[in-house]
Structures are given as C-alpha cells and as structure tokens.
Amino acid sequence: FCMFIVPSRHGWVPPGGVRTLLRSFILLLKEAVLLGTVLVILATGYIRRFMHKADAPERIKTLLSSAPWPMLFIVSIFMIPTSILGRSKLGGSANTLSPALYFLAFSVTALLLDSISAFAKYGISAPRKSKILLLLLLAGLSCFVIYYSRRDFVMLDNLPCNSERLAYEFAKMHPHKAYFPFSPVSGLLAEKRLYHFYGGLDDKEAAGFSVGEKNFLSYIPADVEMVVFPKNCPTGCVLNYLPDFSKRICVDDLPGHVVYARE
C-alpha cells in the first residue's frame, strides 16, 4: 500500500511524465557510475582468472551459482523501476534511489570479497590490481560521501541543539504535553509511544487517503498542549486536524522551533 498505491496517486515532479523519468534515470546513473565501473572490472577479472583452466566453464558456473554477488546484482536491477518511479513522484527525494544503489553496493562488496577468497581457494594469489582497486573504491566512495554531505557538516556546529535531541529532552521533561510531527523517534524513545509522522500524513492526504480525525487524535500525545515544528519547516496538514492550535508562542527550551498552542 505504501510502496505502490499511495505513490501511484501522487503527481509527477515537474516537468512530469517521460522527461521526469529520464531525469531520475540519469541521476541514478550518476550515483551508480562508480559502483557500476568497479563491478564490471571485478566481474570481468573474476571470470577471466579461470578461463585458462581446462574445466573453466564448470568452474565459472559453480562460482557464479554459489557466490552471493550475482543474486544481489539481480535484485539491484529489479529495484531500478521502483527507485526511479519513487524519485519521479512528488515527495520523492534522492533517498528513493537507495534500494537499487544499496544492493549494487552490496553486490560490489560481496564480489570483491568473493574474488579474493576464490583466488585463495583455487591456489591463485590475489592480484595486486584487486588491492589497488579496493583502495580506489574506498577513496572514490569517500569523495562521494564528502561531496554529498558537505552541507550537512554545517550542522555539526550546532549539534548539541539539534532538533531531535531537543524534542527528546523536552518530551522527557514534559511527557504527553508536546507533539513533534517531525521527530517521531524522539517521542518513541522518550514516551514509548509512536506518534503520527508529518511526512506520512502529508503523503496520504496527497493521495486522497485522509487518516481521519479519530485516528489522528489516537496517535498524538494524550494531553497535548503544544505542536512543535523545526524553524522553516512546513506545517503541512497537521494543523488542519488541530484548528484550535493557532497561537504561536516562544518556548525557551525549544530554540529554533515554531511552537503552536491553543488560542
């Protein structure tokens, strides 16, 4: 329901249709180019290592059927359509490409380890190229992480006052009094209750599946006195279920947040 039915009722990311799908596919290729290149090089070398043996076809067949990486790679291929569709629909983000990319990364890792163990099993020393390739892979992935996380490093300057920690500590000090739509895990840890997540509510609303007032009130703090959003974050449909919470207030223990209380 959440993977297919709800997203199928969401609109396309502009410009829409085939152009959006093509953009998402190109983005996936850009994300996968490093891992894909390593996979091709490793797989080619993996197979060619045994081509000079008399029983090469049987050995290769046995290796491929017993090794974990071919199946992981197949799963990655099958996850491409849903990953691209998820990225192309409203609400989708770069992390919707992760199913295909995760299994591709897993496949490359398994292939690298399997190559080294297979060489040892058949009396073939692990080539120097494999070690160099491993170092290049680690260096390349590190560059990718730094490139895509460079904006997140700014948050380290304000780490003690991050939104999740503030929500957790406030919920522990004032149990069942504050609702944090953007921080369901903090509420779960502090109060042992899982409350509605802002993103889930908005996704269902956009798909035409309203949770209803009764369901909504059942999964927010029982004695709620304030609704808290991180600064510059949209309120979405949350306040539509709580029309009385229209008064903005300041709370010293929640710096950088927008707090709504009953009028």
Side-chain angles (χ1 to χ4, degrees), residues 130-185:
S130 294
K131 299 175 182 177
I132 296 175
L133 194 60
L134 174 59
L135 293 175
L136 290 175
L137 175 61
L138 292 174
L141 290 176
S142 298
C143 291
F144 267 57
V145 170
I146 293 172
Y147 176 76
Y148 286 107
S149 303
R150 63 192 187 283
R151 290 174 298 180
D152 296 333
F153 292 148
V154 178
M155 294 190 299
L156 295 177
D157 294 334
N158 195 37
L159 192 59
C161 294
N162 73 83
S163 180
E164 296 295 333
R165 177 177 177 177
L166 290 175
Y168 170 72
E169 292 181 346
F170 192 87
K172 285 201 72 174
M173 291 174 60
H174 310 278
H176 313 297
K177 300 296 184 182
Y179 172 39
F180 296 86
F182 278 82
S183 305
V185 175

Side-chain angles (χ1 to χ4, degrees), residues 62-78:
T62 301
L63 286 169
L64 292 178
S65 61
S66 60
W69 68 267
M71 179 56 68
L72 293 168
F73 177 67
I74 291 172
V75 173
S76 175
I77 297 298
F78 273 85

